[in-house]
Amino acid sequence: MNDYNFAYLDEQTKRMIRRAILKGLAVPGYQVPFASREMPMPYGWGTGGVQVSAAALTPDDTLKVIDQGADDTTNAVSIRKFFEKTAGVETTEETEKASVIQTRHRIPEAELTEDQILVYQVPIPEPLRFLEPRETETRKMHALQEYGLMHVKLYEDISQHGAIATAYAYPVKVEGRYVMDPSPIPKFDNPKMEMAAIQLFGAGREQRIYAVPPYTQVVPLDFEDYPFEAGKADHACDLCGAEDSYLDEVILDDAGNRMFVCSDTDYCRSRREAGHSGRLGEEAA
Amino acid sequence: MTPLLQVKNVAKMYGARIGCTDVNFDLYPGEVMGIVGESGSGKSTLLNSLAGHLPPDRGEVIFDTRTEGPVDTVTMSEPERRMLSRTDWAFVHQHARDGLRMPVSAGGNIGERLMAVGDRHYGSIRERAADWLGRVEISESRIDDRPSAFSGGMQQRLQIARNLVTGPRLVFMDEPTGGLDVSVQARLLDLLRGLVREMGLSAIIVTHDLAVVRLLADRLMVMKDGHVVETGLTDQVLDDPQHAYTQLLVSSVLQV
């Protein structure tokens, strides 16, 4: 028993957010304005994602929260505790068991199913923002599909770095219509966005919600002669030996030693439990 | 021959004050029209109304489009008008900073219009950007420099390249030589004259500098207090001004 309404927000607010989510699902990639509430956490810590999660949760759901792929970092732990306290829902660290997954800047390595909802925390929902500061103008550009400017950014990348250097928040075109910021996920995750699960994006400070329905076409922008490449560190995980997962680089000492580990902690743990081991797997265990 | 642009009874009011009113003229392909007048005479208001930046209160601006023939641009839909303004039209601002994207390299600035109309091949975009830098006399080695590293004259030439890269048929210029020193002005005018003739451009040039229109314009329109007071061939108007205000304007030019 606690004194909070289920999942913290009042029912009217949740209805308002659900309407925005439904509209977002109906117009994939379109940023739906919503009346973002004050949440008991600072902007930039996932106020948008938390509100979307609160509106999507039911008492039967199992929640998983990840921050840069990890279940055990501050942001993930405190949001998980927040919903344990205010909604009393079950929580898990295992991707397969979760029905709602709130994420900051990663898509889990395990393939998601039709029974799952992935909620992204979004800092800046407008992909054109750094090129065109005026909101009136960017809205018009979306409405009229004037997306040439997005390619100017990619052009600048190639002219300065010889390749498209944008490594995260790589702009995508959804279902051939709206250009969308996939939130700051690494571009390694972009190909995964055509998935079976529902993807919801919440930006609390910017007061926008957008969504990608299951099996929706999501195409990264690129040039004919500089096609999109999903990149990752050219290593295997030093703990579990996985060669197909996105890796974090960890500096070990001041003598140049470093290790690469899966950023998805649940994926790494389940692989190690299944008997896989990497270069430093034995020592670390 | 169909006029490229027909302007009929265009008027723009700022509340009760007149911006410009009763403006009528036809512009034929390859023709350069100068609009002169003192500050506040409504030249820039007129230019912005014609280019679709300000909606005129009355009148028609009929442009001879490539596909559909003459169409009134005032009543056409916004997507069509914006499409027109990045393909067949070009607008050269007085301050290059208004027309350029300052945080984007010279090559990106020129390539923007190409990408806006759907070019998605980096190599060809860059090639055309380099070609246009050459045509406006900027060294190709500056292609990755930002416009903020350019001199005023170079910025203005870059703005012109950025506008002409899609091969527009009508160029609006708002005091293209304002704020430049005389030797740079001369070079820019030389360049503009060359490009206008070479590409067969039509242009409407707003300026208060009579020397500019003498060099560039075929025809001249003199404005005062929002009204057109005199029109005619450039040499005719400048050498034999009829209206009292035009006479004043011509006699006010300082002789060196």
Side-chain angles (χ1 to χ4, degrees):
Chain A
M1 179 64 205
N2 67 51
D3 297 329
Y4 290 107
N5 187 38
F6 177 74
Y8 186 77
L9 293 174
D10 61 275
E11 294 303 314
Q12 285 303 318
T13 301
K14 284 195 277 185
R15 288 184 64 183
M16 175 270 292
I17 294 172
R18 286 174 194 145
R19 279 198 294 269
I21 292 173
L22 289 174
K23 183 168 178 182
L25 283 166
V27 192
Y30 172 70
Q31 300 167 44
V32 186
F34 79 111
S36 177
R37 298 290 191 253
E38 291 274 339
M39 296 303 281
M41 53 166 63
Y43 287 127
W45 286 60
T47 51
V50 162
Q51 290 178 76
V52 171
S53 293
L57 277 176
T58 67
D60 303 329
D61 273 319
T62 308
L63 179 73
K64 170 184 162 85
V65 185
I66 52 174
D67 173 7
Q68 303 272 13
D71 289 279
D72 53 4
T73 51
T74 318
N75 200 219
V77 170
S78 49
I79 291 176
R80 194 161 56 229
K81 282 197 176 148
F82 174 76
F83 281 117
E84 279 172 7
K85 184 169 183 183
T86 60
V89 292
E90 256 184 78
T91 56
T92 180
E93 295 195 358
E94 290 172 51
T95 306
E96 288 81 2
K97 288 190 181 162
S99 55
V100 176
I101 303 172
Q102 181 171 336
T103 175
R104 174 173 172 266
H105 308 181
R106 265 320 302 282
I107 295 175
E109 303 291 352
E111 195 167 325
L112 301 182
T113 66
E114 291 181 6
D115 304 328
Q116 294 176 309
I117 299 176
L118 187 59
V119 179
Y120 295 78
Q121 300 171 200
V122 182
I124 305 218
E126 177 52 71
L128 302 159
R129 178 59 67 238
F130 290 109
L131 301 156
E132 177 53 67
R134 287 167 295 178
E135 176 72 14
T136 47
E137 190 64 19
T138 55
R139 282 200 202 188
K140 198 168 273 179
M141 289 159 83
H142 281 294
L144 304 178
Q145 269 187 288
E146 287 181 5
Y147 290 132
L149 199 53
M150 211 66 245
H151 274 85
V152 174
K153 179 175 185 306
L154 302 180
Y155 171 94
E156 289 290 285
D157 265 8
I158 301 172
S159 70
Q160 281 171 28
H161 307 289
I164 297 178
T166 304
Y168 64 95
Y170 193 102
V172 293
K173 195 163 206 179
V174 182
E175 205 62 25
R177 179 59 180 86
Y178 283 98
V179 165
M180 183 185 92
D181 182 349
S183 88
I185 59 172
K187 66 177 170 183
F188 173 82
D189 283 342
N190 273 25
K192 294 191 211 163
M193 294 188 80
E194 292 185 2
M195 60 162 73
I198 294 174
Q199 298 172 78
L200 305 176
F201 299 77
R205 179 185 48 211
E206 305 288 324
Q207 311 195 320
R208 294 288 183 277
I209 284 173
Y210 51 104
V212 176
Y215 308 111
T216 301
Q217 185 195 45
V218 180
V219 183
L221 301 180
D222 59 5
F223 284 104
E224 287 159 16
D225 45 347
Y226 284 85
F228 171 80
E229 281 172 37
K232 72 184 262 293
D234 192 15
H235 288 272
C237 173
D238 283 334
L239 294 180
C240 75
E243 291 181 355
D244 57 351
S245 67
Y246 191 74
L247 301 172
D248 286 339
E249 185 178 6
V250 183
I251 308 281
L252 295 177
D253 54 28
D254 59 0
N257 286 314
R258 60 195 60 204
M259 70 186 291
F260 289 89
V261 292
C262 294
S263 94
D264 186 338
T265 52
D266 173 59
Y267 182 73
C268 199
R269 183 186 49 74
S270 62
R271 273 182 58 89
R272 274 180 288 151
E273 281 173 8
H276 297 282
S277 182
R279 184 172 64 95
L280 301 170
E282 299 304 317
E283 302 167 39
Chain B
M1 190 157 66
T2 325
L4 187 67
L5 192 75
Q6 301 171 55
V7 177
K8 294 181 181 169
N9 286 318
V10 165
K12 172 73 190 169
M13 310 292 288
Y14 295 112
R17 280 179 300 121
I18 295 172
C20 61
T21 187
D22 296 331
V23 181
N24 290 283
F25 68 88
D26 288 347
L27 186 74
Y28 285 87
E31 197 178 26
V32 178
M33 168 101 164
I35 304 176
V36 295
E38 61 193 3
S39 299
S41 61
K43 327 185 281 289
S44 294
T45 299
L46 175 62
L47 194 73
N48 284 319
S49 300
L50 299 182
H53 298 174
L54 285 174
D57 293 318
R58 277 197 306 278
E60 295 168 52
V61 181
I62 297 166
F63 181 71
D64 185 17
T65 58
R66 280 180 217 238
T67 46
E68 291 164 48
V71 177
D72 185 3
T73 62
V74 178
T75 53
M76 78 175 10
S77 71
E78 191 173 11
E80 286 177 302
R81 191 163 53 237
R82 282 171 73 112
M83 191 62 185
L84 206 57
S85 70
R86 58 176 192 265
T87 52
D88 265 357
W89 287 3
F91 197 101
V92 177
H93 293 263
Q94 175 177 7
H95 301 291
R97 283 169 179 272
D98 297 337
L100 292 171
R101 287 195 190 275
M102 297 309 278
V104 169
S105 71
N109 263 295
I110 299 178
E112 181 180 343
R113 267 180 163 240
L114 295 171
M115 292 182 251
V117 295
D119 198 329
R120 293 288 178 267
H121 192 281
Y122 176 81
S124 74
I125 293 169
R126 197 165 170 85
E127 203 174 294
R128 289 181 67 182
D131 174 47
W132 266 99
L133 279 181
R135 288 169 81 166
V136 297
E137 298 163 18
I138 297 175
S139 160
E140 209 183 303
S141 63
R142 304 294 304 268
I143 190 166
D144 290 330
D145 289 351
R146 292 186 176 180
S148 48
F150 287 6
S151 70
M154 282 168 81
Q155 287 181 1
Q156 198 57 284
R157 278 178 278 145
L158 179 62
Q159 193 195 178
I160 288 163
R162 166 188 158 91
N163 272 291
L164 297 189
V165 67
T166 48
R169 292 188 295 155
L170 175 59
V171 186
F172 300 97
M173 295 192 225
D174 190 4
E175 313 248 8
T177 58
L180 302 176
D181 67 58
V182 282
S183 58
V184 175
Q185 258 188 39
R187 223 169 123 208
L188 186 74
L189 286 172
D190 204 37
L191 176 79
L192 274 176
R193 194 157 57 159
L195 288 172
V196 164
R197 294 284 173 267
E198 184 189 322
M199 298 176 72
L201 293 175
S202 303
I204 299 177
I205 299 177
V206 159
T207 182
H208 52 236
D209 189 341
L210 294 182
V212 170
V213 288
R214 174 79 91 175
L215 274 171
L216 283 176
D218 302 313
R219 275 198 302 149
L220 203 57
M221 200 161 92
V222 184
M223 291 189 72
K224 179 164 172 41
D225 298 332
H227 296 268
V228 177
V229 294
E230 189 164 352
T231 56
L233 297 174
T234 304
D235 292 343
Q236 177 195 330
V237 173
L238 293 183
D239 294 337
D240 182 19
Q242 301 294 312
H243 190 273
Y245 174 69
T246 317
Q247 291 168 356
L248 176 72
L249 200 67
V250 170
S251 63
S252 306
V253 175
L254 293 175
Q255 299 297 325
V256 182

